[in-house]
Structures are given as C-alpha cells and as structure tokens.
C-alpha cells in the first residue's frame, strides 16, 4: 500500500454521468491484482473530508511498465461530482492498492464473469488478466446487466478480448429484457464453468450465489459498500458472515472480494 500524489492523465465522460480517469503514479501498482481498490481524495479542500473508494479498472502500461491506473466511476454525489471536474495535469492523492483480489483455482479454465451496472468496474482488469494468463477466451463468458442501455458499460472492451458477452436490460433497450441472472442460469445448463466471479448490487449477488450453489460451482463476489478509511479503522464497511456467531467481516480488509460461502445474503 502506498500513498502518493498521482497526476491526472485524462478524465473523460464515456456515457451520461459515467467517467474514466487515468492516474499516473510513481510506484506501487505494478503488483496490483484484479479486484483491489484505491481510496482517492477527490478535492484539495476539506470538503468532502473523507476519501472515496474506487475499484482499479485497468492498469496503464507503457513499454511493458505499469505507469498508473484507470478508474471507472459514476457521478452520483458531491464527491464524484467534484472528481468529474478535475482536469488533466492536476494531481490527486491516492491510497492503494487495497483489499483482497479474485483468486481463481489453478485448474480453472472456464470462467463466468457476471456484472451488474457499475459492478463492471473491476471486471475489465480481471478479464485482461485472464486472457494474459493464457485462458482460452472462448471458454469464458461475460454476463452484463443494467436498468437501461446506458447502464451497459465496457461491452466493447470484453469483445475486443474475444470474450463472448451476454447483455440484458430491465427495460429491453439493449440485449434481452430480463435479469442478468437469467442467461447465466441458462448457460449453466449447458456446460458449467469452473468458477463464477461477480460484482454488482447485493440482490444480484445473492441470486448469482444461489445459482452457483445449486450447480455446485465455486463462486467469488466483489461487494460494493461505503467506506470511510479503507484500512479497517472506522469499521464502517462491516458485512454479516454466513456462519452465525462469527465476527463481522469488513469489506476493506477481508474483501472486497469474498468467497461466496463467507457472506450472508
């Protein structure tokens, strides 16, 4: 974990209220793993006082060297509204990389990636990592869901990796009009994967975990929750364990990636 001033390389809108910001960093991110996150101080002033957590969306590489990270974010409140105003050449205080990562079984050859809305943020990095690890892209499948077509993000980045992509929307404006778990359930009936990885709203994750358990397939989930510190000091990101009587887990230290059977949904 490093704290440093990162230079903003770009900060551009890719969809309504959706942005990608590139941050060049002196050191510390070459060993970042898919699923980890950073805490950004979005303003140079005292308000907002607390940092904001963001998944690492991609690594920025040049000449085979990691020079920084890219973050995908949605403008939803004061903090992200301020972040959207930041300009290339300015600096942001970055703390990270933090948290746990996706850890796939060494024997895993077929992976299903499931993301709902902004849950796609860590999944592009994961997909890039899988392809670089010599997994056959055609053996893996991506399932993306959103309320509308504007919520379906990064489909072109997955297809550029030659990964099959299934898309769904609640209103039918793109892909199939259904929940993203419907095509996932259908695909499980053909050839089950070696592992399922998922990120998105808790209701979606609960359904994905149920499907995984029904088919006896290992599953890992990355949970989205508010954090104040990212280091376990504030205890604000507590999540309930599945086994009654065990101590509460914390998304920043124990997660954000958890084995599905560790959490109560």
């Amino acid at each position: 974990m490093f704290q440093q001033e990162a230079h903003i390389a770009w900060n551009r809108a890719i969809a309504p209220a959706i942005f990608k910001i590139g941050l060049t960093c002196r050191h510390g991110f070459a060993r970042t793993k898919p699923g980890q996150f950073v805490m950004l101080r979005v303003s140079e002033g005292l308000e907002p006082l607390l940092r904001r957590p963001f998944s690492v969306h991609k690594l920025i590489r040049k000449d085979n060297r990691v020079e920084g990270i890219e973050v995908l974010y949605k403008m939803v409140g004061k903090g992200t509204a301020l972040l959207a105003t930041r300009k290339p050449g300015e600096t942001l205080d970055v703390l990270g990389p933090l948290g746990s990562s996706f850890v796939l079984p060494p024997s895993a050859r077929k992976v299903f990636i499931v993301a709902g809305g902004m849950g796609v943020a860590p999944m592009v990095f994961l997909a890039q990592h899988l392809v670089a690890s010599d997994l056959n892209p055609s053996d893996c499948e991506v399932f993306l869901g959103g309320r509308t077509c504007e919520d379906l993000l990064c489909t072109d980045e997955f297809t550029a990796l030659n990964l099959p992509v299934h898309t769904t929307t609640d209103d039918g404006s793109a892909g199939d009009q259904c929940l993203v778990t419907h095509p996932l359930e259908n695909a499980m009936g053909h050839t089950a994967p070696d592992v399922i990885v998922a990120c998105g709203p808790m209701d979606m994750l609960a359904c994905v975990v149920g499907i995984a358990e029904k088919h006896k397939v290992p599953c890992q989930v990355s949970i989205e929750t508010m954090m104040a510190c990212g280091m376990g000091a504030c205890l604000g990101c507590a999540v309930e364990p599945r086994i009654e009587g065990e101590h509460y887990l914390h998304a920043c230290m124990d997660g954000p990636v958890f084995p599905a059977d560790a959490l109560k949904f």
Side-chain angles (χ1 to χ4, degrees):
M1 178 186 69
F2 297 87
Q3 181 179 354
Q4 59 189 293
E5 290 292 317
H7 287 82
I8 300 173
W10 60 81
N11 190 18
R12 49 182 175 249
I14 63 166
I18 306 294
F19 294 78
K20 286 187 178 183
I21 186 169
L23 302 171
T24 57
C25 310
R26 295 188 307 276
H27 51 73
F29 287 93
R31 296 185 179 180
T32 307
K33 298 176 181 178
Q36 291 188 296
F37 68 98
V38 294
M39 299 291 291
L40 300 183
R41 188 177 297 283
V42 299
S43 170
E44 296 178 356
L46 294 178
E47 192 174 349
L49 178 63
L50 300 176
R51 295 173 183 267
R52 297 295 191 266
F54 299 95
S55 296
V56 176
H57 181 57
K58 289 181 185 177
L59 297 182
I60 300 173
R61 299 179 184 272
K62 184 178 181 181
D63 299 327
N64 294 320
R65 293 175 55 248
V66 174
E67 294 198 336
I69 60 172
E70 185 175 68
V71 165
L72 174 72
Y73 68 97
K74 184 175 184 178
M75 188 168 61
V76 294
K78 184 172 185 178
T80 46
L82 284 170
L83 186 59
T85 67
R86 304 302 299 271
K87 306 296 183 185
E90 297 179 352
T91 60
L92 285 178
D93 190 281
V94 180
L95 182 66
L98 298 164
S100 61
S101 64
F102 293 103
V103 180
L104 304 188
S107 60
R109 309 308 301 165
K110 187 177 183 68
V111 181
F112 280 3
I113 298 173
V114 189
M118 289 301 295
V120 75
M123 296 311 201
V124 171
F125 184 13
L126 175 62
Q128 291 175 333
H129 176 77
L130 293 177
V131 172
S133 300
D134 294 329
L135 262 69
N136 185 347
S138 63
D139 287 338
C140 302
E141 297 185 49
V142 179
F143 302 83
L144 301 179
R147 291 188 178 89
T148 72
C149 59
E150 294 180 348
D151 296 317
L152 292 177
L153 305 171
C154 306
T155 55
D156 55 339
E157 292 171 85
F158 291 113
T159 55
L161 294 169
N162 296 316
L163 294 168
V165 179
H166 309 268
T167 58
T168 69
T169 52
D170 294 349
D171 66 356
S173 55
D176 296 325
Q177 186 174 7
C178 59
L179 299 176
V180 70
T181 48
H182 289 185
L184 172 66
E185 179 75 85
N186 290 337
M188 297 291 285
H190 299 294
T191 304
D194 298 313
V195 63
I196 299 173
V197 292
C199 183
M202 292 299 283
D203 287 347
M204 185 207 85
L205 294 181
C207 190
V208 170
V209 170
I211 292 171
E213 292 179 346
K214 172 184 174 182
H215 293 272
K216 297 180 172 57
V217 172
C219 180
Q220 296 176 28
V221 298
S222 177
I223 65 170
E224 301 171 323
T225 184
M226 293 298 296
M227 296 182 191
C229 69
M231 297 181 290
C234 70
L235 306 181
C237 59
V239 290
E240 189 173 359
R242 178 172 298 196
I243 299 177
E244 188 174 350
E246 285 197 352
H247 65 83
Y248 269 63
L249 301 168
H250 294 90
C252 65
M253 297 295 289
D254 303 304
V257 180
F258 293 91
D261 59 4
L263 303 179
K264 181 178 180 179
F265 287 97

